[in-house]
Amino acid sequence: MRGIEGEILMLNLLRLRETADYSDHPDLAPAQPISGRAAYDRYIAHTLPFLEASGGGLDLVAEGGAFLIGPPDERWDLVLLVRQKDAATFLAFEENSAYVAGIGHRTAAIEDSRLLPLSGATPQG
């Protein structure tokens, strides 16, 4: 985590599957196929209580798409900003076994992703 101290903001760029792939987590699979976005929404619903209990929060969920400036063949369908009080708390949250039990929704939903930890983020206003 690059030695980041204090509050951390995690920038998530997500490319979603058209149809969620639950082959690695059949125990979480719904009765009928669902979209990658629907699977990711299930992941958010599962994860949010654990994130908030750890002192973190989901600051932004926004629709993405093609870049205005950037590679024309690159797209990110969803962008998230996840806030946590520090890197150690974020890493501990990621190891919570109850949280990990639902991570298959994320795996089923995502075709590709990027996670960029941001430091020094302050609210503007």
Side-chain angles (χ1 to χ4, degrees), residues 38-67:
Y40 201 81
D41 287 344
R42 288 175 182 221
Y43 169 72
I44 290 173
H46 170 79
T47 302
L48 207 50
F50 299 107
L51 180 62
E52 291 172 345
S54 73
L58 183 57
D59 287 2
L60 173 76
V61 177
E63 298 292 326
F67 280 100

Side-chain angles (χ1 to χ4, degrees), residues 8 13 18 21 24-25 29 39 45 50 55 63 67 69 79-80 82 85 93 95 120 124:
I8 189 168
L13 301 176
E18 187 173 324
D21 178 5
D24 290 341
H25 301 276
F50 299 107
E63 298 292 326
F67 280 100
I69 299 173
V79 177
L80 285 80
V82 178
K85 62 183 177 180
F93 160 77
E95 294 176 4
Q124 302 295 311

Side-chain angles (χ1 to χ4, degrees), residues 2 5-6 12-13 18 23 27 29 35-36 41 44 46 54 74 103 107 117 125:
R2 303 187 324 246
E5 294 185 22
N12 294 258
L13 301 176
E18 187 173 324
S23 58
D27 55 314
S35 68
D41 287 344
I44 290 173
H46 170 79
S54 73
E74 187 174 326
I103 204 166
T107 304

Side-chain angles (χ1 to χ4, degrees), residues 15 65-67 70-76 111-112:
R15 184 173 310 125
F67 280 100
D73 59 341
E74 187 174 326
R75 74 167 211 289
W76 298 105
E111 179 181 312
D112 196 4

